[in-house]
Amino acid sequence: MALTDIPLRVVLYEGEGATVLDSVERLQSVRDLLEAGFGVTRAGAARPVAPADQSPLLVLGRWEGAVPAGEVAGTRLHWGALGEVPAVQQAESARTQVSAPAPGAWKPWFPVIDYDRCTNCMQCLSFCLFGVYGVDESKKIQVQNNDQCKTNCPACSRVCPEAAILFPKYKAGPINGDLVSDSDLNREKMKIDISALLGGDVYSMLRTRSDRAKSRFSKERDSDKALAERQKCLIKLSELAADIPPEVLMSLPSPEEIARKAEAASARAAALTGRGSPATT
Amino acid sequence: MNLVSPTPAPAILYCHCRYAQVVPPEVKSAVLEQLCASGLPFEAVPDLCELSARRDPSLQRLAAAGPVKIAACFPRAVKWLFAAAGAPLSAASTEVLNMRVQTAAEVATGLLSAPLTPNLPAGKAVPADAPKPATPDASTET
């Protein structure tokens, strides 16, 4: 599947040369097509609709004469008659002929960035395990591989310090796009602190703790302490964010991975802009 | 002589949010029923999120076509879904009706009979601030 493939669009034609449908038949056709995953344009003269474009089109109507045939420049056009053959069946047939993407092949779950709030801090790029994020030529964070996002995982939105990452299909605000309140921001900050514990800060925290209680921990290895602290943090995070899939929690990046990913993103941005190493990522 | 063009009637976009259960089915159903009964032209899409991810050209054409009323979800989400598709909406001529929180009657009235009331959230970003189209081969995080 390539997300660059454009789906088939169905035009419900009720203009000159065709019968106007009664509202029940219109509703039935539109609803059936939507449920099957096809977009529908009900065209008319009173208000604009999206003009024809390079989308493959199937025009359906109750024609007064023969089913029209012919082409419209710049479009991949198919014609059909409402009646004997169900609209969905005709749409599926046309879709196959033009090799348009099959509806439902991918559940559209992916992050959407609110650039009114985004500060380009790159926390999301560093955190995401699935390579969803990247940077554009001006080193601005962007969603590049939305089909690689882990379905139902909102983890990156939880580490965003500005609540700038939306998942429109998420159940609750502000991640679903509802307005961001001050209390949401405070909550988000709490989450980023926890996230930081999972990353590099756990080591500095442990070093500080170790300095303070050197004798107590002198016989323990740093890696053991780090692992124990990490496990405690994971439990804490899973309690706060029960909707993050366990496999995501269990494979959160190590400090080394975060550093490596940040350096790689920085190098890519530098390569794209043809400049030297960027100051920050 | 009147040189002022009449305001064009807004286009109508309805999102069926097919791939999630976050919009109450009874609201979607009632809004679609009234939309079909109105006899007005409209665009109905199975899932606005999917079209955004595909950068579907119909979103770009719709955003560029003038005033538009959209029955979908939260205005902030709709604003940035369109922006992500390279189709920034005009803040001055877009109204989003939220089927997640509004009643079917409120959405249908706003969509079909009330004057357009722009309600996209204002913010610091402008369309020119949107990132360039993704170039996954050159800069994909792996």
Side-chain angles (χ1 to χ4, degrees):
Chain A
M1 177 196 65
L3 286 184
T4 50
D5 294 339
I6 304 302
L8 177 85
R9 181 154 63 113
V10 178
V11 177
L12 210 56
Y13 181 80
E14 301 179 53
E16 190 179 342
T19 304
V20 174
L21 305 177
D22 67 56
S23 59
V24 174
E25 184 180 11
R26 187 183 301 129
L27 174 62
Q28 188 67 51
S29 300
V30 173
R31 182 178 285 156
D32 288 351
L33 287 163
L34 289 172
E35 290 292 339
F38 295 101
V40 185
T41 296
R42 198 250 164 182
R47 295 187 186 206
V49 292
D53 47 44
Q54 63 265 45
S55 307
L57 295 175
L58 168 65
V59 183
L60 292 176
R62 280 195 178 279
W63 310 105
E64 291 169 353
V67 177
E71 298 182 354
V72 174
T75 64
R76 288 177 284 166
L77 193 58
H78 289 252
W79 301 87
L82 288 168
E84 289 184 8
V85 182
V88 171
Q89 192 175 325
Q90 295 189 65
E92 190 55 41
S93 173
R95 184 196 69 74
T96 306
Q97 287 181 51
V98 299
S99 301
W106 172 61
K107 181 178 177 180
W109 174 273
F110 57 95
V112 178
I113 299 174
D114 176 346
Y115 287 99
D116 286 335
R117 306 192 64 85
C118 176
T119 59
N120 216 36
C121 71
M122 303 287 171
Q123 292 265 11
C124 49
L125 186 146
S126 297
F127 187 84
C128 175
L129 301 172
F130 306 106
V132 171
Y133 294 93
V135 293
D136 74 359
E137 293 175 0
S138 58
K139 292 181 279 180
K140 191 167 197 166
I141 190 73
Q142 64 178 176
V143 177
Q144 289 191 338
N145 299 295
N146 36 26
D147 56 337
Q148 290 182 19
C149 189
K150 174 80 176 172
T151 300
N152 297 331
C153 175
C156 58
S157 68
R158 293 185 175 281
V159 302
C160 176
E162 299 296 332
I165 297 175
L166 318 177
F167 285 86
K169 296 191 188 310
Y170 189 70
K171 60 184 181 231
I175 294 173
N176 62 12
D178 201 355
L179 295 178
V180 181
S181 67
D182 289 344
S183 61
D184 289 326
L185 277 181
N186 290 336
R187 199 157 66 229
E188 297 303 322
K189 278 174 186 165
M190 180 180 71
K191 288 170 191 167
I192 188 65
D193 289 345
I194 293 166
S195 167
L197 282 175
L198 294 164
D201 287 357
V202 69
Y203 295 95
S204 60
M205 187 188 74
L206 285 168
R207 273 195 299 274
T208 306
R209 184 182 293 179
S210 180
D211 288 344
R212 283 204 303 262
K214 212 164 194 173
S215 60
R216 184 178 167 195
F217 294 117
S218 60
K219 293 179 181 175
E220 295 180 39
R221 291 169 51 202
D222 278 355
S223 57
D224 293 339
K225 286 186 287 184
L227 181 62
E229 192 67 30
R230 194 178 177 86
Q231 285 169 335
K232 271 198 287 183
C233 291
L234 283 172
I235 292 166
K236 197 172 176 185
L237 182 60
S238 64
E239 288 168 355
L240 284 166
D243 52 359
I244 297 177
E247 61 268 36
V248 174
L249 286 178
M250 294 314 293
S251 53
L252 285 165
S254 66
E256 292 76 19
E257 284 175 295
I258 290 173
R260 181 188 61 76
K261 290 171 79 172
E263 282 172 16
S266 176
R268 282 197 310 277
L272 283 169
T273 54
R275 298 180 208 134
S277 242
T280 57
T281 56
Chain B
M1 184 172 65
N2 183 7
L3 295 178
V4 180
S5 302
T7 304
I12 295 174
L13 174 65
Y14 164 88
C15 172
H16 200 56
C17 197
R18 175 175 179 254
Y19 300 106
Q21 309 300 320
V22 293
V23 175
E26 65 276 13
V27 174
K28 283 196 299 188
S29 180
V31 170
L32 186 60
E33 188 174 339
Q34 293 187 59
L35 186 57
C36 287
S38 73
L40 291 170
F42 60 84
E43 301 280 348
V45 299
D47 198 286
L48 185 56
C49 290
E50 181 176 19
L51 294 192
S52 171
R54 293 184 183 281
R55 298 175 70 88
D56 191 291
S58 65
L59 297 187
Q60 295 159 29
R61 300 293 183 105
L62 197 65
V68 60
K69 291 182 177 182
I70 301 171
C73 54
F74 291 98
R76 188 163 77 103
V78 173
K79 172 181 177 176
W80 293 109
L81 280 170
F82 269 79
L89 290 163
S90 163
S93 57
T94 302
E95 179 177 5
V96 177
L97 288 311
N98 186 347
M99 293 192 290
R100 288 182 75 156
V101 299
Q102 292 181 276
T103 65
E106 289 169 343
V107 173
T109 301
L111 208 57
L112 303 173
S113 53
L116 187 148
T117 307
N119 67 344
L120 287 187
K124 65 181 183 183
V126 297
D129 291 334
K132 310 294 180 294
T135 52
D137 288 341
S139 59
T140 297
E141 173 64 16
T142 55

